[in-house]
Amino acid sequence: QKEVEQNSGPLSVPEGAIASLNCTYSDRVSQSFFWYRQYSGKSPELIMSIYSNGDKEDGRFTAQLNKASQYVSLLIRDSQPSDSATYLCAVSKIIFGSGTRLSIRP
Amino acid sequence: DTGVSQDPRHKITKRGQNVTFRCDPISEHNRLYWYRQTLGQGPEFLTYFQNEAQLEKSRLLSDRFSAERPKGSFSTLEIQRTEQGDSAMYLCASSRDRGNTGELFFGEGSRLTVL
């Protein structure tokens, strides 16, 4: 079992809709969780960090964490074509998932 | 430019040769990380430094790989006797020392192709 699991996608979402990205992790004692966006040919950039159970909102992005279920998600509201990228879930700073490719169709 | 810089951006080498990559972190960041990323995969952790001390190394870091961060500033990652399987993007990132919290800032990466 991989330490951080993500659906590889591609996930296709119409422009203006909500994109929902999911991630599960195996280490129950993990304390810090991150979502990174990576455009093709570019380096990852941080979108959201979350450390406690519940929701954390930042603009169009909402991260959700459920430690009991070992599950973290990222919601993107009012999806834009510029949101088309690979989204990487990371647990602590050193364990990354393989990423979910998101495509926003106009 | 005050971001993380990596050099060279691209390196093509023949199997068996040694290569070295350099990373200059953001100046006030005392943590520096190295990752390897292949197509369709997320970054795989290789090692990290806090100041000049190398605190953790991944099992991926075979004895052909060595990393240094003299004086706690820039870092180098050397791969000896390169193999075709070493072909990947090598990413460097830095952060402030905030335990497991805090943002990683990535460089643009050094792409290695081993022929």
Side-chain angles (χ1 to χ4, degrees):
Chain A
Q1 181 188 5
K2 287 188 176 180
E3 294 179 89
V4 178
E5 300 242 21
Q6 296 182 255
N7 188 321
S8 63
L11 175 64
S12 182
V13 173
E15 185 175 356
I18 296 174
S20 178
L21 303 162
N22 304 313
C23 170
T24 58
Y25 60 94
S26 60
D27 188 351
R28 285 191 166 275
V29 301
S30 299
Q31 295 295 319
S32 54
F33 307 88
F34 305 89
W35 283 100
Y36 287 82
R37 178 176 62 198
Q38 187 171 28
Y39 292 114
S40 180
K42 299 295 186 182
S43 296
E45 55 180 335
L46 183 70
I47 299 296
M48 294 283 287
S49 59
I50 187 166
Y51 308 110
S52 54
N53 280 330
D55 295 359
K56 179 181 178 183
E57 186 174 321
D58 184 0
R60 295 187 297 112
F61 299 95
T62 300
Q64 299 174 318
L65 174 61
N66 184 325
K67 290 185 179 180
S69 300
Q70 295 174 244
Y71 175 93
V72 58
S73 65
L74 179 70
L75 301 177
I76 306 175
R77 290 182 298 281
D78 187 23
S79 297
Q80 303 296 310
S82 60
D83 295 326
S84 297
T86 295
Y87 289 80
L88 299 164
C89 173
V91 174
S92 74
K93 287 179 179 171
I94 65 174
I95 306 172
F96 283 77
S98 296
T100 299
R101 281 187 299 136
L102 175 65
S103 177
I104 306 302
R105 56 183 191 270
Chain B
D1 187 349
T2 57
V4 178
S5 62
Q6 293 188 243
D7 184 71
R9 295 290 308 279
H10 303 274
K11 179 71 177 179
I12 300 174
T13 191
K14 293 182 179 179
R15 184 166 53 93
Q17 297 296 304
N18 299 343
V19 296
T20 299
F21 302 114
R22 175 180 170 126
C23 172
D24 287 88
I26 293 171
S27 59
E28 62 266 31
H29 287 181
N30 61 349
R31 288 197 172 189
L32 186 149
Y33 299 77
W34 284 101
Y35 301 84
R36 179 176 70 188
Q37 187 174 27
T38 53
L39 193 63
Q41 300 298 314
E44 296 174 292
F45 169 75
L46 294 177
T47 188
Y48 94 91
F49 294 83
Q50 181 163 312
N51 301 311
E52 66 276 9
Q54 188 173 18
L55 295 188
E56 190 167 346
K57 294 194 291 186
S58 163
R59 292 187 301 275
L60 293 174
L61 214 65
S62 75
D63 57 5
R64 296 186 297 106
F65 288 70
S66 63
E68 295 183 339
R69 194 184 181 196
K71 303 178 184 177
S73 56
F74 71 92
S75 176
T76 58
L77 177 69
E78 181 183 16
I79 308 174
Q80 296 182 325
R81 306 181 302 281
T82 52
E83 301 173 355
Q84 288 184 327
D86 297 331
S87 296
M89 177 72 83
Y90 289 85
L91 293 167
C92 175
S94 69
S95 74
R96 297 179 188 274
D97 179 7
R98 290 179 178 169
N100 281 323
T101 63
E103 178 177 357
L104 281 174
F105 292 83
F106 282 88
E108 291 299 315
S110 292
R111 181 170 296 283
L112 173 65
T113 301
V114 182
L115 302 176

